[in-house]
Amino acid sequence: MQTIKMWFIQYIPGLYMFRIPIGIIDIIEIILLSFLVYTILIWIKNTRAWTLLKGIIFLGFFVALVYLFHMDTLIFIINKGLNIAIITAIIIFQPELRKALEILGEKMFLVNIFGGGNEKDVEQRCSDKTVNEVIRATLEMAKARTGALIVLEQNETLEEYERTGIDLDAIVTSQLLINIFEHNTPLHDGAVIIKGDKIRSATCYLPLSENLSLSKALGTRHRAGVGISEVTDSVTIIVSEETGRVSIAQRGRLRHNVKKEELRACLVALQNKVPAAKKGIPGVGILRKKGKETDEA
């Protein structure tokens, strides 16, 4: 501890001059504040808040000039309108604030430190058969240039969007997916939502992305795929009707021209496979080993 104090005194002489005592709590506070400021700046940069922030900086500069030159009337208006401005900012940034809180909740810092957690977080989301069926259907539709929009649910529920479509609750098969998106069929328009090993709903309406950085050449299908990935943690597979290329939308980002290996890697990651031993289920590893020995015998 004394070494840390000497380092601050040596490299930050102002602290020694004013004789500010430095404790371990102060150092922790500096680290936390640095992390907080960095996280906020990254969040602002990756959302529409970056554009609005430049306007806020300009207004801040204007307010500083008002106070500098003692413009009493404008100061009175600013003081009275400050509360309204704060409420307005919360309303404007509501989607971004909600997403930031959701991301913070997903990280689950305390759970990672102290252990435990929701059982849902360690359960496998879908089987290998479902992964293979989705890949097979995607490649077949890409080969035939059949447009498709497949949304796979992760942690955040998609019930709000399921209600906009037609309930199916059917086992995922490649034949069913291909038939759904076949031209001139009642269910081909819209998105399919998959939860676990079942197709929950078809012809679902998805929110369109307002990201200005997306190419103008992208159609409604791609913008809908990116849009749902911006407001949820879902993974969306998009097959272009014009080019037959496969794209994946996740976390507001769009990957173009995805090959079979990339698609499989993405879906395997989505499965969230966790060995039974890591789930803390006593005896499961032993039972599996015994079962394997019995089969071999």
Side-chain angles (χ1 to χ4, degrees):
M1 189 62 198
Q2 189 65 27
T3 305
I4 297 174
K5 288 183 179 181
M6 292 301 297
W7 186 91
F8 274 93
I9 291 172
Q10 180 180 355
Y11 291 98
I12 311 179
L15 295 178
Y16 178 75
M17 181 176 62
F18 292 107
R19 297 183 180 180
I20 300 176
I22 300 174
I24 189 66
I25 300 300
D26 300 311
I27 296 172
I28 294 174
E29 188 176 8
I30 291 171
I31 294 173
L32 290 176
L33 284 173
S34 302
F35 175 77
L36 181 62
V37 171
Y38 173 78
T39 304
I40 292 174
L41 289 176
I42 293 297
W43 169 71
I44 289 174
K45 184 179 179 181
N46 293 334
T47 62
R48 290 179 296 172
W50 180 247
T51 304
L52 296 175
L53 180 64
K54 290 185 283 188
I56 293 173
I57 292 173
F58 174 78
L59 289 176
F61 179 73
F62 173 76
V63 170
L65 290 178
V66 168
Y67 278 91
L68 180 63
F69 292 104
H70 303 286
M71 301 177 185
D72 296 334
T73 304
L74 290 176
I75 290 174
F76 174 80
I77 294 173
I78 291 171
N79 291 336
K80 293 299 181 183
L82 184 61
N83 292 335
I84 298 175
I86 293 173
I87 295 173
T88 303
I90 293 174
I91 294 172
I92 292 173
F93 288 108
Q94 185 269 335
E96 285 78 11
L97 290 171
R98 175 183 173 184
K99 189 62 181 177
L101 291 174
E102 288 174 352
I103 293 173
L104 184 63
E106 288 173 13
K107 292 184 183 297
M108 301 174 66
F109 295 112
L110 295 178
V111 172
N112 292 333
I113 294 173
F114 298 108
N118 194 334
E119 190 67 23
K120 180 182 177 182
D121 297 322
V122 298
E123 289 182 356
Q124 182 173 315
R125 293 193 184 97
C126 59
S127 65
D128 293 336
K129 180 179 182 297
T130 296
V131 170
N132 293 329
E133 294 293 329
V134 171
I135 293 173
R136 186 179 297 115
T138 301
L139 297 180
E140 288 293 329
M141 290 187 288
K143 185 178 180 180
R145 293 195 176 185
T146 301
L149 189 58
I150 304 172
V151 184
L152 297 105
E153 181 179 307
Q154 292 202 80
N155 292 325
E156 298 177 21
T157 180
L158 299 176
E159 291 181 1
E160 174 185 351
Y161 305 99
E162 290 177 20
R163 289 194 291 267
T164 64
I166 298 174
D167 293 334
L168 292 182
D169 198 29
I171 298 295
V172 176
T173 63
S174 58
Q175 295 87 349
L176 178 56
L177 286 171
I178 292 171
N179 286 335
I180 287 174
F181 290 108
E182 189 65 36
H183 295 289
N184 302 321
T185 57
L187 300 179
H188 86 282
D189 191 19
V192 159
I193 294 179
I194 295 177
K195 179 177 181 180
D197 295 322
K198 288 192 174 183
I199 301 175
R200 298 297 300 271
S201 189
T203 70
C204 300
Y205 294 100
L206 304 180
L208 299 181
S209 173
E210 298 180 2
N211 189 347
L212 299 178
S213 64
L214 291 177
S215 172
K216 301 296 182 183
L218 296 178
T220 304
R221 185 178 287 112
H222 286 81
R223 290 190 175 276
V226 176
I228 189 67
S229 73
E230 289 174 341
V231 297
T232 69
D233 66 346
S234 61
V235 175
T236 306
I237 301 172
I238 308 152
V239 180
S240 173
E241 188 174 349
E242 289 75 19
T243 64
R245 292 180 179 178
V246 178
S247 302
I248 293 178
Q250 189 175 16
R251 297 293 185 192
R253 296 182 179 181
L254 189 64
R255 282 188 284 169
H256 294 286
N257 202 19
V258 175
K259 303 302 181 183
K260 180 180 179 180
E261 294 76 15
E262 294 179 78
L263 179 60
R264 180 175 294 278
C266 180
L267 294 181
V268 168
L270 179 141
Q271 281 185 282
N272 196 34
K273 284 186 176 181
V274 178
K278 290 186 179 180
K279 293 183 182 181
I281 304 175
V284 172
I286 298 174
L287 289 174
R288 284 188 175 180
K289 186 176 181 181
K290 286 183 178 179
K292 187 177 179 181
E293 289 175 353
T294 305
D295 293 338
E296 289 176 352

